[in-house]
Amino acid sequence: MSTAAQEFERKAAEKSADLVHRGIVRWNIDQYDTGVGRGKTRFADWEAARQRCHDIKWEGVNHLDKYLLQFEQKVKENGGHVFWAENGEEACKYICDVAARGGVKKVVKSKSMVSEEIHLATALEKIGVEVVETDLGEFIVQLRNEPPYHIVTPAMHLNRQQVSKLFHEKLGSAETQDPPELVAIARRWLRKDFFSAEMGISGANFIVADAGMVTITTNEGNGRLSTSVPRIHVALTGIEKVIPRLQDLAALWPTLATAGTGQPITCYNTLMGGARRAGEVDGPEEFHVVLVDNGRTELLADLEQREVLHCIRCGACINACPVFRNIGGHAYGVTYPGPIGSVLTPHLRGLPEYQHLSYASSLCGACTDVCPVHIDLHHHLLHNRRNAIHAGTHPGSERLAMKSFCWMMSSARRFRFFGWLGRLALRVVHALGLEGTALDPMRPWTKDRAMPAIPRQSFREMWRQQNGTH
Amino acid sequence: MPKVSLFIPCFVDQLNPQVGMDVVRVLRRIGYEVDFPEAQTCCGQPAFNTGYWDEARPLAERFVRIFGSAEVVVSPSGSCTTMVKAYYPELLAGTPLHDDAVKLGERVYEFTQFLVKVAKVTDVGASFPHKVTFHDSCHGLRELHIKQEPRELLKNVRGLELVDLPYGEECCGFGGAFSVKYAMISAAMGDTKAGNIEKSGAEYVTAADPSCLMHIEGILRRKKSQARTIHVASILAQTAAAGEQASAAGAKR
């Protein structure tokens, strides 16, 4: 078992038993569910919106070559810079170089999961640059020295009491249970950073090819401040975020907002296409877009799973996932938790080390049901499992057990015999009072669940008794 | 007399034989001739779902051959029906039996869906004077789109009071091999489900999948809950006289 798999088991076991954690997450997701339920009713046809968004993303992802080049050309025409990063190191190096050249001491960041994926903050801190997260949730988890718990709601695992205590300890604010006051504390604290930072880093929700612009979507206005006040703006994004046309946002923005939070549209949707031009009063002096591959073209080459690149990072699958609801976001130990992460991570970080995540699912399909761009998530989990077996990442003993099972099941006589033997064994275990003890061969089941009563007769025996043999 | 062939999943055959017998009773009561092809074993889902597709394939081929000549196949498990209907075409892609599997899939039905959609029966003359809640099992709900069928059937059961299950569409946590591979997560999900069953105030939780019920029952019993599990076929099999017996038996406990 890989180190990541062991760590996952340990954390999942711990969180599964943590009822306080379960309660907080349930409460937060209940709020979300109510909002999304209401949000969907605002659409004349939610299914049509999903289909439309799927089609837009399909067009972009299946013609990355065309649209990314179109985008690059436009950005350059508008005086911006575009850097193509093969992997995380290249992206980090480029951004660190830009920071060093520009004499940057402080960076304000709006939310970017790609920056988490490539560990950008660590790279910047290594060269002496202070990094301040300005999304409220990100700000909170940064103060706690934690990675984001969820891709949309990074501090979903905390309640207001915990946030109040954290602000009191780290920022010296008076304790308060009032959410608007907590927001105000963060706002006052961050204000000085927005105006002293030399560089702002953002992600991108979409890259618009025909306009040569990146868009970011935020609810707090921190994205706009981060990208327009500092001298330098770097937009960091995965290559799969490209969409063909500006007008596509008419479908994508409301669909993303509804699937992500239940809002009709997110409060701030910003389009940025270059540095400040002559005669303009604000905006950065330098505009850089870093296009990150980091395994995405490998996924593009996988026809079966290519559609995973359609993901618009709304977080709906994570909220819908009953596994997430019990173990939470940190247990996964990866950048992208929940179903999308379990599908994606083996592609970004390697199948042998991360195939276990595809098994940590009951394949219930709730994720697929809610995905606003129609990614067949639970089937991809199944495909990852098949790929893991083909790659030989599982112990030989498991394969032997599975082969034996299939051999047993390939003959009705063998099935009858082993079925009889198995039931007999289970009755003996029960009769000896071993159920649930260390000596119980069914312990993986009986540790948490009672054994069902084992019948003396199988169905086929009952059937024969009633109907005779054929 | 119209004829149906029974597909009794392997674990139902071994662990819940009564569910199979109850399916037979209901089908006969509404006028079907029932056949049980005894060569059947397992549809291959345990191997398929854990990624062992090469091992699962011969079992799928075997299944397609055994049921190839059946007019209609009925099974008391939404999950195993899904395996045949939704996954066989992918598992057998590029093999000689692929087309047969697709055609067979069109003739395979989960029990409640068969009753309502094919047999066009929503009242099977059952009686079960108890407060019952229904758990939507995932494969049935999301792969086969079964939602109203079992409810329509249950609403027509004499004396039965159907109550809503909070978060009824949330997975119970069984998930096949998941239930032992990640038993702690599975049990936590089951614990949540059990809590919601208790909140519903129902005496019985029913479902169209014996595997979910086995898991839920195991959790409920560990929690020493009063709520009990029963397969939907076993409710529909109870007629007035038998229903009274069940009620009396329930009162004794």
Side-chain angles (χ1 to χ4, degrees):
Chain A
M1 202 192 292
S2 71
T3 326
Q6 283 171 353
E7 189 60 5
F8 174 76
E9 270 196 17
R10 193 185 63 75
K11 287 189 193 155
E14 183 190 312
K15 284 295 171 192
S16 295
D18 183 344
L19 297 181
V20 174
H21 171 262
R22 193 193 292 176
I24 293 174
V25 173
R26 171 70 63 177
W27 190 87
N28 279 317
I29 291 178
D30 278 349
Q31 309 302 305
Y32 165 87
D33 279 343
T34 309
V36 172
R38 200 170 42 225
K40 283 180 184 168
T41 63
R42 296 194 190 97
F43 283 73
D45 189 342
W46 173 248
E47 288 310 312
R50 288 173 83 189
Q51 189 59 43
R52 180 87 195 100
C53 291
H54 164 273
D55 294 349
I56 294 165
K57 287 295 295 187
W58 187 93
E59 173 67 17
V61 165
N62 283 275
H63 303 90
L64 276 186
D65 50 344
K66 176 177 150 192
Y67 293 121
L68 285 171
L69 290 175
Q70 192 187 353
F71 168 78
E72 180 187 35
Q73 196 192 337
K74 282 268 175 189
V75 171
K76 284 183 172 168
E77 280 169 19
N78 291 329
H81 305 271
V82 176
F83 180 73
W84 301 73
E86 182 89 30
N87 51 43
E89 291 91 79
E90 283 187 17
C92 287
K93 184 172 182 309
Y94 178 81
I95 296 169
C96 286
D97 288 350
V98 171
R101 241 189 354 257
V104 172
K105 299 269 182 303
K106 185 187 283 185
V107 164
V108 278
K109 271 187 74 241
S110 77
K111 205 166 160 16
S112 156
M113 288 313 294
V114 176
S115 72
E116 293 292 328
E117 178 186 325
I118 67 172
H119 306 296
L120 177 62
T122 314
L124 284 165
E125 279 157 7
K126 224 177 252 173
I127 61 160
V129 175
E130 184 192 349
V131 179
V132 181
E133 295 287 350
T134 66
D135 171 273
L136 179 59
E138 294 280 353
F139 177 66
I140 292 168
V141 293
Q142 189 184 30
L143 288 178
R144 285 169 60 94
N145 206 15
E146 275 178 351
Y149 178 88
H150 183 291
I151 64 172
V152 175
T153 36
M156 183 192 255
H157 58 310
L158 303 173
N159 57 28
R160 68 180 81 161
Q161 288 81 1
Q162 288 164 306
V163 174
S164 167
K165 193 159 170 280
L166 177 76
F167 283 2
H168 174 68
E169 282 168 15
K170 301 277 179 174
L171 312 179
S173 58
E175 292 245 25
T176 171
Q177 304 295 313
D178 181 32
E181 178 52 24
L182 288 169
V183 173
I185 293 167
R187 178 194 284 261
R188 283 194 295 271
W189 184 269
L190 285 169
R191 192 65 33 163
K192 61 177 174 39
D193 291 320
F194 284 122
F195 290 95
S196 59
E198 300 88 357
M199 179 189 266
I201 296 177
S202 73
N205 290 93
F206 304 103
I207 316 172
V208 188
D210 70 349
M213 294 174 123
V214 300
T215 87
I216 55 169
T217 286
T218 75
N219 269 319
E220 296 154 21
N222 64 308
R224 253 175 217 187
L225 280 169
S226 301
T227 56
S228 57
V229 179
R231 269 194 288 115
I232 306 168
H233 171 208
V234 178
L236 174 67
T237 174
I239 52 173
E240 80 284 11
K241 294 290 180 70
V242 75
I243 56 168
R245 296 161 299 263
L246 194 59
Q247 69 194 49
D248 295 329
L249 293 171
L252 287 165
W253 271 345
T255 309
L256 169 64
T258 299
T261 60
Q263 291 167 284
I265 194 154
T266 315
C267 297
Y268 299 91
N269 291 285
T270 313
L271 279 152
M272 291 156 295
R276 185 194 308 185
R277 276 174 266 186
E280 289 180 342
V281 291
D282 55 13
E285 291 159 24
E286 284 180 41
F287 175 63
H288 301 260
V289 180
V290 179
L291 298 172
V292 179
D293 182 331
N294 209 28
R296 286 164 175 77
T297 46
E298 301 279 333
L299 188 49
L300 187 70
D302 183 344
L303 282 181
E304 196 175 57
Q305 300 207 0
R306 177 181 288 179
E307 66 161 16
V308 173
L309 293 171
H310 291 186
C311 176
I312 56 173
R313 305 283 189 266
C314 69
C317 64
I318 303 175
N319 297 332
C321 179
V323 171
F324 176 86
R325 289 175 181 194
N326 281 288
I327 67 171
H330 286 148
Y332 292 85
V334 296
T335 308
Y336 305 98
I340 185 65
S342 299
V343 170
L344 186 62
T345 308
H347 291 276
L348 301 182
R349 298 197 189 178
L351 184 64
E353 186 78 358
Y354 288 96
Q355 47 89 13
H356 62 279
L357 295 177
S358 299
Y359 286 90
S361 160
S362 61
L363 299 178
C364 76
C367 46
T368 306
D369 249 17
V370 297
C371 176
V373 290
H374 276 311
I375 302 173
D376 204 350
L377 285 155
H378 70 297
H379 288 155
H380 292 309
L381 291 172
L382 199 50
H383 293 144
N384 277 353
R385 295 181 184 190
R386 180 206 55 202
N387 295 345
I389 299 304
H390 277 172
T393 61
H394 284 224
S397 55
E398 188 188 284
R399 180 178 293 271
L400 188 67
M402 206 45 87
K403 275 192 186 300
S404 309
F405 173 80
C406 292
W407 171 79
M408 197 172 80
M409 289 298 185
S410 59
S411 138
R413 282 180 59 188
R414 283 198 288 268
F415 171 51
R416 213 163 45 228
F417 172 70
F418 285 106
W420 170 81
L421 193 66
R423 278 184 286 119
L424 181 68
L426 291 173
R427 280 205 305 275
V428 169
V429 167
H430 183 75
L432 294 175
L434 297 176
E435 190 183 311
T437 68
L439 291 173
D440 183 356
M442 297 301 286
R443 180 147 169 88
W445 177 272
T446 53
K447 188 171 167 290
D448 304 294
R449 286 155 290 222
M451 260 321 264
I454 305 299
R456 291 199 170 264
Q457 279 188 311
S458 65
F459 173 78
R460 56 193 64 217
E461 287 169 282
M462 291 168 118
W463 171 268
R464 277 194 179 191
Q465 229 165 43
Q466 194 186 71
N467 304 282
T469 50
H470 290 270
Chain B
M1 212 192 303
K3 192 172 154 184
V4 297
S5 294
L6 280 184
F7 159 30
I8 301 296
C10 53
F11 70 95
V12 176
D13 186 302
Q14 293 298 321
L15 297 175
N16 311 95
Q18 193 53 47
V19 169
M21 296 309 285
D22 290 334
V23 169
V24 175
R25 270 177 75 189
V26 174
L27 290 172
R28 283 183 177 154
R29 195 194 300 151
I30 62 166
Y32 280 86
E33 188 188 327
V34 182
D35 170 49
F36 175 68
E38 287 192 43
Q40 66 180 285
T41 56
C42 168
C43 63
Q45 186 173 200
F48 178 78
N49 270 4
T50 39
Y52 291 89
W53 289 25
D54 295 336
E55 284 75 10
R57 201 167 290 113
L59 292 179
E61 289 167 346
R62 204 173 165 274
F63 188 98
V64 173
R65 285 198 200 95
I66 290 167
F67 284 97
S69 57
E71 281 171 52
V72 178
V73 181
V74 174
S75 173
S77 159
S79 184
C80 300
T81 303
T82 295
M83 179 65 196
V84 178
K85 254 179 134 69
Y87 291 133
Y88 272 12
E90 188 176 357
L91 181 60
L92 297 176
T95 73
L97 282 176
H98 172 264
D99 294 356
D100 289 347
V102 172
K103 280 189 217 127
L104 173 61
E106 289 162 6
R107 309 196 304 274
V108 178
Y109 295 91
E110 181 280 325
F111 174 64
T112 62
Q113 201 162 39
F114 173 79
L115 291 179
V116 176
K117 290 278 159 71
V118 182
K120 312 273 184 208
V121 174
T122 53
D123 186 346
V124 296
S127 169
F128 193 69
H130 296 282
K131 200 168 174 180
V132 174
T133 193
F134 185 81
H135 161 68
D136 292 285
S137 49
C138 301
H139 275 151
L141 177 70
R142 300 198 179 87
E143 303 274 2
L144 304 177
H145 309 291
I146 299 170
K147 179 80 189 171
Q148 290 314 317
E149 294 91 329
R151 289 175 171 81
E152 281 178 42
L153 289 159
L154 290 169
K155 277 177 189 159
N156 287 320
V157 173
R158 316 288 178 277
L160 187 147
E161 185 194 346
L162 187 62
V163 294
D164 278 340
L165 177 60
Y167 303 96
E169 293 188 0
E170 189 169 302
C171 179
C172 68
F174 173 66
F178 170 75
S179 66
V180 288
K181 206 160 190 152
Y182 287 107
M184 66 292 195
I185 309 175
S186 167
M189 288 159 71
D191 184 56
T192 303
K193 180 60 69 179
N196 286 321
I197 292 165
E198 288 180 336
K199 267 184 220 140
S200 79
E203 296 164 71
Y204 287 91
V205 56
T206 187
D209 246 302
S211 50
C212 307
L213 289 172
M214 184 168 69
H215 167 73
I216 294 170
E217 188 211 331
I219 301 268
L220 285 171
R221 275 176 45 204
R222 272 294 153 85
K223 281 173 81 96
K224 305 212 182 308
S225 169
Q226 294 298 306
R228 279 173 280 166
T229 59
I230 185 167
H231 190 277
V232 67
S234 300
I235 292 181
L236 299 180
Q238 307 255 15
T239 47
E244 279 156 24
Q245 279 165 16
S247 171
K252 256 186 274 170
R253 281 174 65 144

